[in-house]
Each structure stands twice: as structure tokens, then as C-alpha cells.
Amino acid sequence: MATLAKPNLPRFDVDIFQNAFLADGAREVNAIVTVTATGGGTSGGRPLGATDSGPLDAGAHSAAVVIMVDCSGSMDYPASKMRGAREATAAAIDTVRDGVAFAVVAGTHEARDIYPGDGTLAVASAATRAQAKEALRRLSAAGGTAMGTWLAKADTLFLTRRDIAIRHAILLTDGKNEHESPADLERVIERVSGHFTADCRGVGTDWRVDELRKISSALLGTVDIVAEPSGLAEDFRAMMEGAMGKQVADVALRIWTPANAVVTFVKQVAPTVEDLTGRRTEAGPRAGDYPTGSWGDESRDYHVCVEVPAAAVGNEMLAARISLVLPPLTGSTPEVLSQGLVKAVWTDDLASSTRISPQVAHYTGQAELASSIQEGLEAHRAGDVDRATAKLGAAVRIAHATGNEGTFKLLQKVVDVVDPKEGTVRFRKNVSEADSMTLETRSTKTVRVKK
């Protein structure tokens, strides 16, 4: 592990967990990469006062946030949804730190920025927060739902402040994306990806988990359900506190491999499962960058799998070099925040070559847990009760074995657990839609390896 401290940046530590020993002729190397960020300032990923074009004014902002609120007609049924959305947005605005740029967007089949309302971002202060909360009175429910237009509006607002590196959005909806085609939404998501992160929330049970997960996944955010409107304010406050805690943006996991070695996959496995394999961008000879988004004081785990050339017993090689990097300022080189090494050693010792790293085994199970839940619920919706029972039974067994108590409790609301160790379950009668959607939405949440 190597750590490089930078002024006004968090300290990044990289720890590699793996069994480096391979049997004669074996080619697959697996490692868990734990990245931990601690301390640092809130300068948006740059030393305070620096941008691509030079120094900023002393009052430069460290972050920008846009809150997108569903104002479609369904938000008035019941009226508590619209009321809860106003209260939640007010709670989020109260949490915005002085000096942060922000805006509020009302989303229907189109998007309107209701505050500040002039196509720009306001600067948070006691006065502008009060004005923004007063503007919430203009939020009313009417019209359709086209989330792509909301994301495009947020992107336009963020682009008015190109000097700000940390850009975060919150999107709330209660329904399905019915007033634009899936292709239109896909095109917008692709266009804005990498411009900002987005946390998505669905209130009630009439929205689709897969739609919000597609947005949050592409924009490196979170997705969750708020079953009752009364829970929105606390959830929005927590999301905004998380956004205000981000200290550095656009961090990439850079993986270099030697000649004839290739990266098979890269997955974030904690705190949630997220496949980053398809998001690689080339970063020089035999190196690729995988986006990780914005960081505060936190720790995340990544599963990296590399295929190396087969070698005979006694050989040893560097399978990969893992670096945390920031994109370069104009005319400079990338900032390397930390590094770690993944190795491969071929041996004829059976005990060494067959031992599985506890971290690799654990997170392989957590990824299987997430897919088992999603496949089980999908099978149940399709009427395939046998497959649904088998998949959710497997999920119960893994959750029990790995100590994922949160997911185990959510599973118990959908199935009766007969034998958790064996994964023997029966579907419960009259399972609520909220319980089923909560299980699906939170299926990707994982637990760390037991000490």
C-alpha cells in the first residue's frame, strides 16, 4: 500500500486483500481493493482557488446541488405526497452549507427551475435559503413524468458553474417514466453521465425500481424507497448531509496490467454492489480508469479480477497496479492519491493455491445475494413460484451465513424462513408491495467482512 498526501485533499489509503498463490497453469487473479478516504478540506477535488483556467475568486464554491421534485398529477393522490415533497425539499435546503451553489427543479413532462428561476444556480446563505423555501409554495401537482427532461435541466444548471467540481443531484418521483420513450431517457443518461452524481428516491409504490436504479447507477448515486411521505424529510436531510460531506470529486480507480494480462471485471462490492466493468476509459498503455465519483470520509471495497498469462511453478509477477487518481489540470499530469499492488505467484503447494481469500469469498457471496433477490422477485412477478422460492431461499442462506442482518430482515417480510442455514423458505401470503419493493431496492446493499 502507498499513500500520497495532498494539501486540502482527503488522505486516501489502498489495501489489497488476495491469495496471490496460483496452481501450475492457473490464470485468474482475484483481489479485494479497500479504499479509505479520511480528512481533507471541501475544495471540490482541487487545492482551494485552482481550476483548469487558473485561480478562482476567494468566494469560490466547493459544491453545487440541484433538487429535482416530481410535480406530476399523481403527486396529489394522496395530497400528503406533495406536502411531504415540499417539506423534504425544505429540509434539504436547510442543510445546504453557506457558499454552496443550488437550485430547485419542478419535474413533470417538462422541467422548470423554480428557484432561483433564472437558469442559474443561487449561492446558499440565510437569505437565499429562505427565498428558496418560499418558492416551494409554487410546487403544485399537474402534468406527466419525463425524467430525462429533469436530468437535462439539472445538467444545464450545473454547466453554468464549470468551476465547481463536486456536483450532486437529488431526484424524487412517485411514478413511472411514462411521457418519454426509454430510448430518450437512455440518451439523456448517457449524455449527462460523468457530469454529476444523483441520488434517486421513489415515494409510495407506483414507481419502477429498475428505472431509478438505471439513473442512480449511471450517475454513481444511490436509490431507495420511501414508502410513506412522512419519511421524506429525514431522508432528504440525510442525503444532503452526505452531499455536503463530499470533499473530492471525479476520483478514478486506475488499473495497469502487464503485457498479455487483461482486466476481466471491476465491481464495487461495498457499501453496495455496482458493476464498473463497462465504464472503463483508456488511460495510457495497458491502463484503464474506472469512475468512483465523489468522496467524503468513507471506505469502499472493489473486487478486481485479472487474467494473466499462465506460468510455471516458481514464477512470480505483478498482475496489476491499482491507483487512485484525479484527472489532471490543464497541462499537468494526473494526481496519484494512493497505490496498491496485486501479485501472482505460481506454486505446487495445494494448500496455498486452493485457499480462497476470505474477503474475495465474502464479496462473491454478497454479489450472489443481490442477484438471487432480484432474480427471485422477477420470477415471482412472472408467476414462476418454484424458481422464485429457490432464488429467495438461496438469498436467505447467503444473508444468514454472511451476517447480512439488514437484508435477512427484509427477506423475512417476503418469505417465511423454515431453515436459514439450508435456505428453506415459503412465500408469505399477502406480501405488501412496499415490502417487496423495499427488498428489491435495497438488494445491492452489502456488509463488510467480519473481523
Side-chain angles (χ1 to χ4, degrees):
M1 178 189 75
T3 302
L4 303 176
K6 298 274 184 186
N8 300 313
L9 290 179
R11 169 193 172 100
F12 278 85
D13 294 310
V14 171
D15 293 295
I16 306 292
F17 300 94
Q18 65 163 139
N19 175 22
F21 292 102
L22 302 178
D24 185 14
R27 302 183 62 189
E28 186 174 279
V29 181
N30 286 276
I32 297 299
V33 181
T34 295
V35 180
T36 304
T38 53
T42 53
S43 58
R46 300 290 185 213
L48 195 59
T51 69
D52 287 355
S53 57
L56 290 177
D57 294 335
H61 319 306
S62 60
V65 293
V66 174
I67 305 169
M68 296 168 277
V69 183
D70 189 341
C71 293
S72 61
S74 59
M75 285 290 286
D76 237 358
Y77 300 95
S80 59
K81 280 195 289 189
M82 197 71 246
R83 186 168 59 250
R86 291 193 197 96
E87 293 172 354
T89 306
I93 290 169
D94 279 336
T95 312
V96 175
R97 189 178 59 247
D98 281 354
V100 168
F102 77 104
V104 180
V105 170
T108 57
H109 52 281
E110 55 188 9
R112 293 184 300 114
D113 51 320
I114 65 160
Y115 187 81
D118 59 358
T120 68
L121 298 169
V123 178
S125 66
T128 57
R129 281 191 291 268
Q131 292 165 9
K133 288 188 288 184
E134 177 65 23
L136 296 181
R137 298 174 63 180
R138 297 202 296 271
L139 289 177
S140 59
T145 303
M147 297 178 210
T149 67
W150 312 354
L151 296 170
K153 172 64 75 172
D155 191 44
T156 299
L157 291 168
F158 283 128
L159 288 173
T160 65
R161 294 308 310 263
R162 295 175 183 268
D163 54 302
I164 300 175
I166 294 179
R167 299 174 296 273
H168 191 86
I170 292 174
L171 184 153
L172 172 70
T173 188
D174 78 324
K176 304 174 182 67
N177 199 52
E178 295 178 325
H179 292 83
E180 65 183 353
S181 70
D184 287 340
L185 176 59
E186 191 74 46
R187 277 192 291 270
V188 174
I189 292 173
E190 184 176 352
R191 189 173 78 242
V192 305
S193 291
H195 294 186
F196 59 93
T197 59
D199 289 329
C200 300
R201 294 296 182 266
V203 59
T205 58
D206 292 329
W207 54 281
R208 285 177 50 179
V209 175
D210 61 334
E211 282 183 345
L212 288 199
R213 195 187 301 283
K214 178 180 292 186
I215 295 170
S216 66
S217 176
L219 301 184
L220 299 174
T222 64
V223 60
D224 207 349
I225 181 174
V226 183
E228 297 297 330
S230 59
L232 283 172
E234 184 55 38
D235 190 70
F236 267 47
R237 187 179 295 110
M239 279 192 289
M240 191 59 75
E241 286 175 351
M244 293 299 96
K246 298 302 182 184
Q247 300 161 333
V248 60
D250 301 325
V251 178
L253 193 72
R254 177 166 295 177
I255 302 180
W256 174 92
T257 51
N260 300 318
V262 295
V263 177
T264 304
F265 64 76
V266 178
K267 297 177 182 178
Q268 178 183 287
V269 288
T272 58
V273 176
E274 190 67 62
D275 194 344
L276 302 177
T277 310
R279 304 186 194 182
R280 176 185 173 111
T281 57
E282 297 306 312
R286 300 195 302 277
D289 284 352
Y290 300 84
T292 68
S294 301
W295 288 74
D297 282 359
E298 58 187 299
S299 183
R300 305 180 200 170
D301 291 337
Y302 299 88
H303 186 172
V304 175
C305 181
V306 178
E307 186 177 279
V308 296
V313 169
N315 284 340
E316 179 176 344
M317 70 174 291
L318 176 63
R321 182 172 62 243
I322 313 290
S323 305
L324 268 292
V325 300
L326 278 174
L329 297 171
T330 302
S332 65
T333 57
E335 296 181 65
V336 179
L337 304 173
S338 192
Q339 289 185 340
L341 304 178
V342 178
K343 300 177 181 179
V345 180
W346 283 266
T347 179
D348 57 3
D349 181 74
L350 186 62
S352 296
S353 63
T354 57
R355 185 175 66 247
I356 300 176
S357 162
Q359 288 82 2
V360 171
H362 174 82
Y363 284 123
T364 300
Q366 294 294 287
E368 184 184 349
L369 170 60
S371 62
S372 293
I373 291 172
Q374 293 167 18
E375 291 173 20
L377 292 174
E378 184 178 351
H380 191 253
R381 285 192 293 268
D384 190 342
V385 178
D386 289 343
R387 177 174 168 79
T389 303
K391 286 293 181 180
L392 292 187
V396 164
R397 175 178 52 77
I398 298 169
H400 174 72
T402 60
N404 195 328
E405 295 179 2
T407 300
F408 187 83
K409 289 178 180 178
L410 293 176
L411 282 161
Q412 286 181 304
K413 294 183 177 182
V414 176
V415 295
D416 288 319
V417 179
V418 178
D419 186 340
K421 188 175 181 180
E422 297 297 326
T424 307
V425 303
R426 291 190 297 264
F427 259 93
R428 301 184 67 174
K429 294 181 179 179
N430 303 318
V431 174
S432 74
E433 186 67 18
D435 285 340
S436 179
M437 288 182 69
T438 300
L439 175 61
E440 182 177 8
T441 305
R442 300 177 183 171
S443 62
T444 58
K445 292 188 176 181
T446 59
V447 292
R448 310 297 288 263
V449 180
K450 294 179 181 178
K451 300 294 184 183

